[in-house]
Amino acid sequence: MRLFLEETLDSRWLWRMARLLLALMFIVSGLARVLDPQGGMDEMRAAGLEPAWLFNTAVATTLLLAAMLVLLDRLLWLGAAALSVFLVLTIVVVHQFWKLSGDEARVALFFAFEHLTVIGGMIAAAIASHLRRVLDDILRWYPAPAS
């Protein structure tokens, strides 16, 4: 059982799956803004962001490009950082729980906590990406002995 767990945690397929799951909500959100620009612009206006077309375009571009960096494990740290900044800005601009009361405040606070949790996942993915590259470099220089 322990060998199975170690092999699974070391596997490339699980690493790909983790990145896909982490990037999925950003890809879906970015595509939604591209496929339904009016809906995206309505969201921007509701958040008080004008010109709505510019903010919608910037958000869609950021979400899709940064998610691709995470998904492809290319400059993952940069994609994770961009998505984390986006999430913090979303808390500050959209989920202003400190300005609300009652159920509205509670829901906004839960969204803020969810965003902070995803930021933690982004940090963990950036660390894992870095350590996997370091380990690959080490194994290139010191291959495992043949069994």
Side-chain angles (χ1 to χ4, degrees):
M1 182 65 160
R2 182 175 177 181
L3 180 62
F4 171 76
L5 289 175
E6 287 180 14
E7 287 178 0
T8 301
L9 291 173
D10 288 341
S11 67
R12 295 196 185 282
W13 71 264
L14 187 62
W15 177 228
R16 286 185 188 112
M17 179 63 69
R19 294 190 329 266
L20 172 62
L21 293 173
L22 195 55
L24 188 60
M25 71 179 205
F26 298 105
I27 293 168
V28 170
S29 181
L31 286 175
R33 293 170 189 291
V34 170
L35 298 174
D36 179 19
Q38 189 59 52
M41 288 188 292
D42 289 346
E43 284 184 27
M44 296 301 127
R45 284 188 195 97
L49 300 172
E50 292 287 350
W53 68 268
L54 179 62
F55 279 99
N56 189 58
T57 302
V59 167
T61 302
T62 299
L63 293 176
L64 291 171
L65 290 178
M68 284 293 116
L69 292 176
V70 171
L71 184 61
L72 299 174
D73 196 10
R74 301 289 182 254
L75 298 174
L76 187 146
W77 64 270
L78 181 60
L83 294 171
S84 295
V85 168
F86 169 78
L87 289 171
V88 168
L89 290 173
T90 302
I91 293 169
V92 171
V93 174
V94 179
H95 305 298
Q96 301 175 345
F97 58 88
W98 58 92
K99 289 184 175 180
L100 303 170
S101 61
D103 287 340
E104 284 183 311
R106 194 172 7 270
V107 169
L109 181 61
F110 288 150
F111 275 114
F113 283 144
E114 286 178 358
H115 288 10
L116 293 172
T117 300
V118 174
I119 291 169
M122 289 293 171
I123 293 168
I127 292 168
S129 176
H130 172 72
L131 292 177
R132 289 179 71 89
R133 290 187 194 288
V134 168
L135 185 58
D136 284 347
D137 288 345
I138 291 169
L139 293 176
R140 228 177 270 123
W141 285 97
Y142 302 100
S147 16

